[in-house]
């Protein structure tokens, strides 16, 4: 079925027992798009990719690749995609050439087509020197190249790449990213990586997942804007003034400014939310300013510098980096990894409050999880009270002030039981 939507996920969910790896994930990738699929470890990226490539089934929801349902016709889906898992399963006893020929035969390619494709694969993946070597003799980086080669051998219209530059050196990474940029002009690529610089180099759009949910989806510029602030970098000469200024000619300014003077003047400008001094050499004062996303402080900064007679060395305006927004949107994963009961309630709220304005959905979801955790804690506390009562011979009195501290209840119950025994 001809369609511009090459990958479509609707409400994908995946449960492993009580653990929810995916929670109603929905997105689309259209023809010719190169999309970065981002998230911390354990966020659900690989699970989503394995469902899309028919390696595992979903607990709920639907998924289509090239217009074909992955559950109804998985073989047709696999004909349309090239898949590179994070650690490609390779046959170590086979040579590189034999392995790629084997994958070509599995794809149903004739020998002439395979040889013509190999020229391009060898060039892109840099395999010319290892075609006759056993795969088990190769380094991790070269094994990753072989895995990328098998994903390209049948010239698929869709590529799903899970950490394609893992274990590659900087030169190899640059070559793979350059190739992704090139093939993205006429085919669809879903790229999962932890290297945000690679996403910014190869992708115009990103999908960010956290705790099995999509927390951001759109062009990189829109995702960066979710922070709600813009950063300005201003550098003022520490030892010189602008001698052509009116302030200098009038004699009102004859002394270069101190760091405190510059900081105070910049902080007094309307629209400046925060001023922070940056480390630099001993000849300049460097500051980072934060302002609202909809405004532009450069004109006000320039007028201030001219009025003061200072010598401006640098001024630039830039939105928050993708890394900054990524950290804000996925902060919940870090809290979950640490174990939510180990965090103070104030710290927990601060973590949510410090997230980007565009992460309201994530914050709401985190609050729901907090409520669920509190309910679970109360249930556990009730169980602890029952145990304590049983130890005390049916006495229902509570010895602990903390209702949610089931460990404390158990300890108090043990102490009571011991006291009664000593009394006897």
């Amino acid at each position: 079925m001809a369609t511009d939507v090459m990958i479509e996920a609707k409400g994908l969910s995946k449960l492993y027992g009580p653990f929810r790896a995916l929670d109603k994930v929905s997105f689309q990738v259209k023809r010719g798009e190169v999309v970065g699929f981002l998230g911390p470890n354990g966020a659900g990226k690989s699970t989503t990719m394995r469902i899309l490539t028919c390696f595992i089934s979903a607990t709920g929801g639907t998924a289509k690749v090239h217009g074909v349902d992955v559950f109804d016709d998985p073989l047709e889906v696999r004909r349309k995609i090239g898949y590179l898992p994070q650690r490609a399963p390779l046959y170590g006893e086979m040579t590189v050439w034999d392995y790629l020929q084997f994958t070509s035969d599995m794809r149903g390619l004739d020998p002439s087509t395979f040889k013509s494709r190999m020229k391009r694969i060898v060039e892109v993946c840099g395999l010319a020197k290892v075609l006759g070597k056993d795969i088990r003799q190769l380094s991790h980086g070269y094994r990753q190249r072989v895995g990328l080669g098998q994903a390209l051998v049948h010239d698929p219209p869709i590529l799903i790449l899970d950490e394609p530059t893992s274990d590659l050196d900087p030169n190899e990474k640059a070559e793979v990213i350059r190739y992704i940029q090139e093939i993205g002009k006429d085919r669809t690529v879903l790229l999962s990586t932890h290297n945000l610089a690679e996403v910014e180099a190869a992708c115009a759009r990103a999908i960010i997942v956290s705790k099995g949910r999509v927390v951001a989806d759109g062009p990189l510029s829109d995702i960066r804007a979710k922070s709600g602030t813009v950063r300005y970098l201003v550098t003022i000469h520490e030892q010189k003034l602008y001698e052509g200024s009116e302030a200098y000619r009038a004699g009102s300014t004859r002394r270069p400014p101190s760091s405190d003077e510059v900081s105070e003047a910049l902080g007094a400008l309307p629209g400046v939310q925060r001023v922070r001094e940056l480390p630099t050499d001993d000849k300049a004062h460097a500051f980072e300013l934060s302002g609202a996303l909809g405004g532009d402080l450069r004109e006000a900064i320039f007028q201030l510098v001219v009025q003061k007679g200072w010598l401006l060395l640098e001024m630039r305006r830039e939105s928050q980096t993708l890394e900054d927004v990524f950290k804000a949107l996925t902060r919940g994963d870090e809290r979950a990894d640490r174990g939510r009961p180990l965090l103070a309630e104030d710290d927990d709220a601060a973590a949510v409050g410090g997230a980007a304005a565009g992460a309201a959905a994530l914050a709401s979801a985190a609050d729901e999880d907090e409520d669920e955790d509190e309910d679970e804690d109360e249930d556990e506390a009730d169980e602890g009270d029952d145990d304590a009562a049983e130890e005390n011979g049916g006495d229902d009195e509570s010895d602990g002030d903390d209702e949610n501290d089931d460990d404390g209840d158990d300890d108090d119950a043990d102490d009571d039981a011991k006291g009664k025994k000593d009394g006897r």
Side-chain angles (χ1 to χ4, degrees):
M1 181 177 66
T3 176
D4 285 335
V5 179
M6 305 298 281
I7 300 174
E8 182 179 26
K10 286 186 178 180
L12 281 184
S13 297
K14 181 64 178 178
L15 298 177
Y16 293 100
F19 175 70
R20 185 178 293 273
L22 293 182
D23 188 5
K24 298 179 182 178
V25 169
S26 299
F27 61 87
Q28 290 184 346
V29 182
K30 296 184 177 180
R31 189 188 308 273
E33 280 192 305
V34 180
V35 178
F37 198 48
L38 309 177
N41 289 328
K45 303 186 302 298
S46 294
T47 299
T48 302
M49 290 184 161
R50 288 169 184 161
I51 292 174
L52 294 175
T53 53
C54 310
F55 275 78
I56 61 175
S57 61
T59 305
T62 61
K64 292 183 179 180
V65 175
H66 208 271
V68 181
D69 193 295
V70 299
F71 310 118
D72 293 341
D73 196 351
L75 287 179
E76 182 61 25
V77 169
R78 291 172 179 174
R79 294 187 183 100
K80 300 297 183 181
I81 60 174
Y83 176 45
L84 174 62
Q86 187 170 2
R87 289 291 183 271
L90 306 174
Y91 296 105
E93 68 278 6
M94 300 179 72
T95 66
V96 173
W97 179 276
D98 289 340
Y99 173 74
L100 293 176
Q101 188 172 39
F102 166 73
T103 59
S104 173
D105 293 340
M106 293 289 290
R107 294 287 187 179
L109 302 182
D110 59 74
S112 61
T113 302
F114 167 69
K115 290 182 179 180
S116 64
R117 296 270 172 82
M118 279 298 293
K119 294 179 181 179
R120 181 62 173 160
I121 291 173
V122 168
E123 178 184 352
V124 170
C125 301
L127 298 173
K129 296 182 179 180
V130 297
L131 287 176
K133 288 187 176 182
D134 289 347
I135 293 176
R136 61 186 164 199
Q137 297 176 347
L138 303 180
S139 66
H140 289 297
Y142 270 102
R143 292 183 186 183
Q144 196 74 354
R145 295 190 196 192
V146 176
L148 181 59
Q150 65 80 26
L152 300 172
V153 72
H154 58 298
D155 195 27
I158 301 171
L159 280 177
I160 297 181
L161 309 177
D162 194 357
E163 299 288 345
T165 59
S166 175
D167 298 323
L168 301 183
D169 64 39
N171 291 332
E172 294 169 339
K173 290 181 180 180
E175 281 297 310
V176 172
I177 294 303
R178 182 192 62 78
Y179 178 68
I180 292 174
Q181 291 173 322
E182 181 180 337
I183 64 176
K185 298 175 182 177
D186 55 6
R187 69 182 81 198
T188 302
V189 181
L190 186 62
L191 168 66
S192 171
T193 178
H194 286 109
N195 192 326
L196 300 184
E198 294 176 358
V199 174
E200 293 183 303
C203 306
R205 175 185 160 207
I207 300 169
I208 301 179
V209 293
S210 178
K211 298 172 69 174
R213 301 166 181 161
V214 175
V215 296
D217 181 2
L220 296 185
S221 57
D222 291 350
I223 292 178
R224 293 190 191 99
K226 287 182 179 294
S227 64
T229 60
V230 177
R231 182 173 63 171
Y232 301 82
L233 299 179
V234 179
T235 305
I236 306 294
H237 205 295
E238 183 180 286
Q239 299 177 353
K240 294 182 180 179
L241 295 169
Y242 176 47
E243 298 180 1
S245 66
E246 293 184 6
Y248 184 86
R249 291 197 297 267
S252 59
T253 300
R254 290 295 182 181
R255 179 179 56 82
S258 66
S259 173
D260 292 339
E261 288 176 318
V262 178
S263 177
E264 182 179 354
L266 291 174
L269 291 175
V272 174
Q273 299 176 354
R274 182 175 64 91
V275 178
R276 182 171 67 94
E277 187 172 7
L278 302 176
T280 184
D281 56 32
D282 57 355
K283 296 182 179 180
H285 303 301
F287 292 90
E288 177 188 79
L289 283 67
S290 296
L293 183 63
D296 192 341
L297 299 175
R298 288 175 294 182
E299 181 178 346
I301 296 171
F302 181 77
Q303 290 179 349
L304 171 68
V305 172
V306 171
Q307 177 186 356
K308 295 289 188 179
W310 297 339
L311 186 58
L312 181 64
L313 298 179
E314 180 184 15
M315 177 174 63
R316 70 176 185 268
R317 178 182 187 268
E318 55 187 34
S319 60
Q320 291 279 59
T321 65
L322 184 61
E323 180 177 357
D324 294 334
V325 181
F326 177 88
K327 289 178 179 178
L329 293 174
T330 60
R331 192 168 293 157
D333 276 16
E334 180 182 354
R335 294 161 57 222
D337 289 340
R338 291 181 181 180
R340 201 180 305 270
L342 298 179
L343 291 177
E345 185 176 351
D346 293 340
D347 295 338
D348 207 26
V352 175
L362 176 59
S364 176
D367 292 338
E368 293 176 2
D369 290 343
E370 294 279 357
D371 295 338
E372 293 175 1
D373 291 342
E374 290 176 2
D375 293 340
E376 293 174 1
D377 290 341
E378 291 175 1
D379 293 340
E380 292 172 1
D382 292 340
E383 293 176 3
D385 292 338
D386 293 341
D387 294 340
E390 190 173 349
E391 287 283 345
N392 290 323
D395 189 0
D396 292 335
E397 292 183 1
S398 174
D399 297 308
D401 295 332
D402 229 348
E403 292 182 2
N404 291 332
D405 188 359
D406 47 59
D407 292 335
D409 291 337
D410 292 338
D411 293 339
D412 292 338
D414 292 341
D415 292 339
D416 289 344
K418 181 178 180 183
K420 291 182 178 180
K421 183 177 180 181
D422 293 339
R424 289 196 299 268

